[in-house]
Amino acid sequence: MRIALTGGIACGKSMVAKFLNDFGIETIDADDVVHELIPDPAERKRIAAEVFADEAKRKALEARIHPRVKRKIQAFQDFRRETEGGLVSRLESKVLRVAIIPLLFETRWDADYDIICCVRSARETQVARMMETRGYTREEAEARLKAQMPVEEKAAKSHYVIENDGTAEELKFKVAEFVNWLKEK
């Protein structure tokens, strides 16, 4: 199965990924791949300020970066693992792998996945988290939300939705439920 996790900015995708790892599920995060491509945090911040203020520049940047991100994610999901008996493909393995792709629907990569899970939070929760944890102003947070498909639309297009407006303990329980659901597939 090809599994993707998506959701809005500041909905808790990274925390869900951490809990998935705790439950033995391997993950790759598209944002981490972008960080490999643009390793300097100051440069990423400068670029973000520029592209979130200009849609044409954002689309041009995405056209250059997204194909490279997609190739890295596909390689992760198409792994072959060396064992004592030889190579084991992803289809023969019981290892579950999840790609965390915030812009899954915006990039139209959703057709590549058998199961899509969306992490959803209320808009005000998203704004508050961006202001608190990332130091964004309300205007910067709103600009980032505006640049993405609304999380409600992502949730409606997904096979499974994890609501994340509560505590970390509540989220971990919901991720455990998702893992159990996946194992039944």
Side-chain angles (χ1 to χ4, degrees):
M1 284 185 298
R2 290 185 177 270
I3 307 163
L5 178 78
T6 194
I9 188 169
C11 282
K13 295 177 300 297
S14 295
M15 182 72 73
V16 169
K18 179 206 172 303
F19 292 143
L20 287 171
N21 295 154
D22 290 348
F23 292 125
I25 295 179
E26 298 175 6
T27 60
I28 187 170
D29 191 321
D31 287 345
D32 291 342
V33 176
V34 171
H35 292 181
E36 290 173 16
L37 298 173
I38 308 170
D40 180 19
E43 180 69 4
R44 283 196 307 269
K45 188 174 183 174
R46 185 197 62 74
I47 290 169
E50 188 176 312
V51 300
F52 282 109
D54 185 330
E55 186 175 353
K57 287 182 180 180
R58 181 174 50 82
K59 288 185 177 191
L61 177 67
E62 289 172 349
R64 288 192 316 268
I65 289 183
H66 286 174
R68 296 168 71 187
V69 172
K70 187 173 186 177
R71 281 193 299 275
K72 178 105 180 203
I73 290 171
Q74 286 174 327
F76 167 82
Q77 291 187 311
D78 292 337
F79 77 99
R80 296 178 73 80
R81 200 163 33 110
E82 189 84 32
T83 67
E84 287 181 26
L87 289 174
V88 176
S89 75
R90 113 185 123 75
L91 296 175
E92 299 164 323
S93 171
K94 299 294 182 196
V95 175
L96 289 176
R97 289 184 156 200
V98 175
I100 293 97
I101 309 172
L103 301 178
L104 179 73
F105 294 110
E106 293 89 337
T107 56
R108 295 187 175 90
W109 296 350
D110 53 297
D112 297 337
Y113 292 89
D114 304 307
I115 294 176
I116 299 169
C117 176
C118 178
V119 183
R120 176 172 59 189
S121 297
R123 185 179 185 90
E124 275 308 308
T125 302
Q126 291 175 270
V127 170
R129 285 179 183 154
M130 283 187 273
M131 291 171 65
E132 180 182 326
T133 63
R134 301 176 191 195
Y136 293 163
T137 64
R138 178 169 284 280
E139 294 76 27
E140 289 170 327
E142 292 288 350
R144 280 157 177 78
L145 287 170
K146 186 178 176 187
Q148 294 185 0
M149 176 185 292
V151 72
E152 295 80 18
E153 286 183 46
K154 293 180 182 193
K157 294 179 177 201
S158 298
H159 302 98
Y160 196 97
V161 178
I162 296 173
E163 298 288 345
N164 183 26
D165 287 310
T167 67
E169 294 79 26
E170 291 169 332
L171 181 59
K172 188 169 188 174
F173 179 78
K174 291 175 183 181
V175 173
E177 288 179 325
F178 173 59
V179 169
N180 289 334
W181 182 83
L182 279 177
K183 289 180 177 178
E184 293 173 2
K185 297 293 175 196

